[in-house]
Amino acid sequence: MKDLTACFVLIVALAPLVARGGAAEASGRLELLPIGNVQVSDGFWAPRIQVYREKTIPHSWSYMEWELRSLRKAVGEPVEGELNGTWGEANLYKFLETVAYSLAIRRDPELEQRVDGIVDLLRACQQPNGYLHVYVTNNRKPPWDPAFLDGSHDGYVLGHMIEAAIEYHAATGKRDFLDIACKAADEACNHFLGPNAPPGFCGHAELEMALVKLYRVTGNSRYLELSRAFVEWRGRGLVPPAGPTPRAYFQDGVPLRAQRTLDGHAVRAVFFATGVADLAIETGDSDYRLAAHRFWDSTTLRRMTITGSIGPRKEHEAFGEDYELPNDGYYESCGACGLVDFAHRLFLLERRSESIDVLERVLYNAVLHGIALDGVTTYYCNPLSDRDHLRDNCWVCCPPNLSRTLLQVGRYAYARTDRDLFVNLFVGGTVRVPFPSGELLLRVETDYPWDGEVNVRVEGTPAGRFALHLRKPGWSDGAELLLNGVARKVAPGDAGYWTFEREWKNGDSIRLNLEMPVQRMMAHPNVVACRRKVALQRGPLVYGFEGLDNGGKADVTLGTDPRFTAVHQPGLLGGVTAIRGVAARGEPIQAVPFFAMANRGSSTQEVWVEQENLTVTGEWWLGALYRPMREERLSDPRRAEDGHQE
Ligand SMILES: [Zn+2]
């Protein structure tokens, strides 16, 4: 019934306010804002960004020694100690991308000088033909080794180099790193697209999306052509597996148009899917668009945890079958980082809020969980049920992926066309939007995600007429909207945005009040691990129980009415809103946000907990994987006796 009422446009249409049918109608090309245009100053993200800039980056340098030693070895310097592995340089590049975002937020001459020194070293390492993968050079292996394309990581490393170089150029205006990356990309183009070139692709996807990004920056269509070739050559038996892993492990099982689900190594797979979505955005090819949607549905409707993680299987770090979502699964942090990017591309492709619903779920839960509150230790795996799982700080791949993802929160929050501004994430601070008619300054004040009130105010020079699209979060049932202090009844459009189009003046404001009740979430009944269980969610945050808050026992059992209340506790876990209530037998219980779990030493942890009398049937899921529990799902024996049972 609720869905039906949402179809009616319930507008009190008072000129000059115009509500349009949906954000999908927004015209013109979507552009992202430069990271530096978004200044974050709220109570949630600003302290975190400070930690990533002041703690995570200095801490990460110590791990770069391994990579820098490998670079120095490649230019003939005598070095001592272990050299990096085949994927190691990607860590250096992910870290440099993190640094670039930090510099975009605030320049730092000392930090820049350090990066410039590395760029000089990279230039010295680069082969005359442009090839640059020092692991291969140091170990005298053949570049793009045709016998080991699935494992050599040549393209994965190059992809991360390209992304870092683009962002360093964007942050500083310096071209040297970008020139090195272009030269290396040109070598890849010459290798795979030149006369008599052997078709193939790197078994760890990443270069596909990086080449599209490089095409956007340079306009060189050869990069787009190579990305397209890498996608098209898959599933045709062109890359021999070096080991016993199945071809699906590196997304080579069948050609793209025959791929129905996203399978194999979860990180490789989601990077590949992101590249396909990028190609759909740039080429408009409906085959890529359809494939991106198949991958999206396969992942988000059947293969994603409620915390936004993917890849439950330890063997091959892989996706499982549909609904195979064990709570003690593998769930690598890089998979979550990759899913944030895939969700972001789906938004750019379709301009629908449901993509951002997934992005928000992954970012505020799985990704934030991956990095400790202190910013220096990390998780490789992010299971939902855990015992004494201390942070492993494993520097194979995840730590710099987490920091580069989290420092992009300002980028994920907004998108614009020449006459539209999308507010996707509710992040407090200011944002400068370069409309053709002039720069708009927008101020956002909010205590999100702890509170659902979001105040958006236009400041400074009038920016003229444009449409402001405020995302209606998928988790939100009820909301109040006020324009310049006057309540407005505006229904969200089909794309899931509240749209306000008008001639905006200095001081105009919108207040959004999102109701933020504690919701007990159910999983689709096919998810065996979550049967007769619920998970708590409030706003975008998924919660979990830790033994140390609950008498040593994280696997609590909930009764019909757990009497949940949300209590903000400034002294707990850096300041979180905890959920307090009572268990089935009346003892007090407390849940904390999933992202903050495992920050207080050893402890048991459970996201999904037993719910007494819960009956979930297979009806009316309409493709959803998780839904709020309604009271009628509880078959309370006492209510049955009273004749009130459903
Ligand atoms: Zn990883």
Side-chain angles (χ1 to χ4, degrees):
M1 180 56 89
K2 189 171 73 62
D3 292 332
L4 259 183
T5 52
C7 295
F8 295 103
V9 182
L10 301 169
I11 300 172
V12 180
L14 298 173
L17 171 69
V18 176
R20 296 212 303 257
E25 292 179 12
S27 56
R29 185 183 169 90
L30 265 187
E31 302 282 350
L32 301 177
L33 302 180
I35 297 257
N37 283 30
V38 184
Q39 287 296 324
V40 180
S41 59
D42 62 13
F44 187 81
W45 283 108
R48 287 183 163 73
I49 289 170
Q50 189 177 358
V51 165
Y52 306 144
R53 296 182 74 242
E54 295 178 3
K55 299 273 174 56
T56 310
I57 288 176
H59 172 79
S60 302
W61 277 111
S62 60
Y63 289 89
M64 291 305 108
E65 284 307 314
W66 202 18
E67 313 307 335
L68 297 177
R69 193 187 302 139
S70 302
L71 297 188
R72 289 200 299 273
K73 160 92 173 167
V75 295
E77 289 181 27
V79 295
E80 282 183 18
E82 209 178 340
L83 299 178
N84 64 20
T86 181
W87 54 76
E89 283 146 84
N91 275 344
L92 172 65
Y93 298 131
K94 281 181 274 187
F95 171 64
L96 293 179
E97 190 181 336
T98 302
V99 171
Y101 296 135
S102 176
L103 292 171
I105 293 167
R106 196 176 317 132
R107 297 289 287 269
D108 176 341
E110 207 176 310
L111 191 57
E112 262 176 68
Q113 203 176 15
R114 216 164 162 181
V115 176
D116 291 342
I118 295 174
V119 172
D120 288 342
L121 193 50
L122 285 170
R123 192 187 303 103
C125 290
Q126 191 160 34
Q127 304 294 305
N129 69 354
Y131 184 81
L132 178 48
H133 186 191
V134 302
Y135 168 81
V136 168
T137 321
N138 284 340
N139 290 282
R140 297 191 164 77
K141 291 180 180 295
W144 306 107
D145 184 355
F148 196 46
L149 266 180
D150 72 326
S152 65
H153 290 71
D154 276 359
Y156 169 74
V157 166
L158 175 56
H160 278 302
M161 183 213 296
I162 290 170
E163 294 211 59
I166 289 171
E167 298 303 340
Y168 192 64
H169 173 250
T172 65
K174 296 176 183 176
R175 270 211 66 99
D176 290 12
F177 193 6
L178 186 57
D179 288 341
I180 291 168
C182 286
K183 194 174 168 188
D186 290 341
E187 189 280 331
C189 289
N190 293 337
H191 182 88
F192 287 104
L193 299 176
N196 306 317
F201 54 88
C202 175
H204 198 313
E206 152 63 29
L207 189 48
E208 293 81 354
M209 60 173 138
L211 285 167
V212 176
K213 200 169 178 178
L214 193 59
Y215 160 73
R216 288 188 189 119
V217 170
T218 62
N220 185 342
S221 59
R222 243 183 141 209
Y223 302 142
L224 193 63
E225 193 187 337
L226 183 57
S227 176
R228 195 169 184 149
F230 284 153
V231 166
E232 294 291 346
W233 284 332
R234 287 181 189 253
R236 301 180 194 282
L238 300 171
V239 170
T245 51
R247 284 186 178 276
Y249 170 82
F250 54 99
Q251 297 71 54
D252 191 35
V254 292
L256 178 75
R257 286 160 191 76
Q259 290 185 21
R260 299 278 157 234
T261 51
L262 199 56
D263 295 300
H265 186 279
V267 179
R268 294 171 183 236
V270 77
F271 282 17
F272 174 65
T274 306
V276 171
D278 271 329
L279 283 170
I281 293 166
E282 287 306 324
T283 66
D285 188 321
S286 57
D287 279 4
Y288 297 144
R289 187 178 197 151
L290 288 169
H293 276 277
R294 290 195 301 274
F295 295 152
W296 178 254
D297 287 354
S298 151
T299 304
T300 64
L301 298 181
R302 300 189 294 277
R303 298 183 178 186
M304 177 184 75
T305 68
I306 194 168
T307 50
S309 274
I310 54 174
R313 290 186 183 176
K314 185 174 183 184
E315 186 184 20
H316 300 147
E317 303 181 306
F319 276 107
E321 299 294 322
D322 285 349
Y323 304 107
E324 181 185 331
L325 293 164
N327 290 318
D328 59 353
Y330 191 73
Y331 306 129
E332 182 182 339
S333 292
C334 282
C337 295
L339 186 51
V340 166
D341 276 332
F342 185 33
H344 197 219
R345 300 312 199 280
L346 251 286
F347 162 74
L348 296 176
L349 184 63
E350 303 297 356
R351 307 177 183 194
R352 298 185 65 82
S353 70
E354 61 203 31
S355 311
I356 304 296
D357 285 341
V358 171
L359 189 157
E360 186 182 58
R361 179 179 295 285
V362 184
L363 188 69
Y364 279 80
N365 296 289
V367 174
L368 265 183
H369 181 265
I371 191 161
L373 298 177
D374 64 12
V376 298
T377 51
T378 53
Y379 262 158
Y380 193 94
C381 298
N382 300 275
L384 289 76
S385 169
D386 217 340
R387 175 176 291 275
D388 298 339
H389 185 169
L390 297 177
R391 291 177 183 274
D392 44 35
N393 206 23
C394 171
W395 265 81
V396 169
C397 50
C398 301
N401 214 353
L402 290 162
S403 56
R404 78 189 258 272
T405 302
L406 288 161
L407 277 174
Q408 291 182 74
V409 62
R411 168 178 285 169
Y412 298 133
Y414 302 97
R416 70 164 184 95
T417 70
D418 283 349
R419 52 184 288 258
D420 299 271
L421 176 66
F422 290 85
V423 180
N424 277 331
L425 299 179
F426 305 118
V427 177
T430 58
V431 54
R432 290 180 289 117
V433 187
F435 282 127
S437 54
E439 187 174 84
L440 163 76
L441 180 66
L442 211 65
R443 182 175 298 279
V444 179
E445 289 175 350
T446 183
D447 284 327
Y448 198 85
W450 310 124
D451 185 87
E453 182 177 328
V454 182
N455 288 289
V456 180
R457 194 166 66 245
V458 174
E459 290 189 351
T461 318
R465 189 175 190 84
F466 67 92
L468 185 70
H469 306 283
L470 275 180
R471 170 175 151 256
K472 180 200 172 293
W475 54 261
S476 157
D477 257 354
E480 180 189 30
L481 278 161
L482 293 86
L483 177 70
N484 292 333
V486 180
R488 304 282 186 168
K489 283 190 192 296
V490 180
D494 291 344
Y497 288 85
W498 290 294
T499 294
F500 297 87
E501 183 174 358
R502 70 197 307 260
E503 202 75 37
W504 294 90
K505 298 189 304 293
N506 184 21
D508 280 348
S509 67
I510 291 180
R511 178 187 293 181
L512 169 63
N513 279 320
L514 296 163
E515 286 176 22
M516 227 180 232
V518 177
Q519 293 177 315
R520 277 180 278 181
M521 304 294 291
M522 309 180 298
H524 190 286
N526 287 0
V527 184
V528 175
C530 301
R531 281 185 188 160
R532 293 178 296 282
K533 293 186 175 185
V534 293
L536 304 189
Q537 185 171 332
R538 180 174 180 270
L541 299 179
V542 175
Y543 280 70
F545 293 88
E546 284 200 81
L548 45 78
D549 291 320
N550 298 285
K553 189 170 151 24
D555 54 339
V556 305
T557 300
L558 302 180
T560 304
D561 180 14
R563 305 206 297 274
F564 285 132
T565 54
V567 184
H568 195 72
Q569 299 188 52
L572 178 65
L573 293 162
V576 298
T577 296
I579 296 173
R580 289 183 185 159
V582 291
R585 286 175 191 76
E587 64 271 29
I589 50 175
Q590 173 169 286
V592 296
F594 174 71
F595 78 75
M597 290 166 82
N599 272 282
R600 294 173 288 175
S602 76
S603 165
T604 52
Q605 299 141 19
E606 298 289 346
V607 168
W608 290 96
V609 295
E610 294 283 336
Q611 170 63 59
E612 284 187 346
N613 307 319
L614 177 62
T615 307
V616 179
T617 65
E619 298 169 272
W620 297 108
W621 280 82
L622 300 172
L625 187 51
Y626 304 104
R627 290 174 52 194
M629 187 198 82
R630 305 293 179 206
E631 290 292 322
E632 63 266 24
R633 291 290 167 200
L634 298 180
S635 55
D636 187 332
R638 287 165 301 174
R639 292 169 70 199
E641 283 166 23
D642 294 344
H644 294 306
Q645 197 178 19
E646 173 183 20

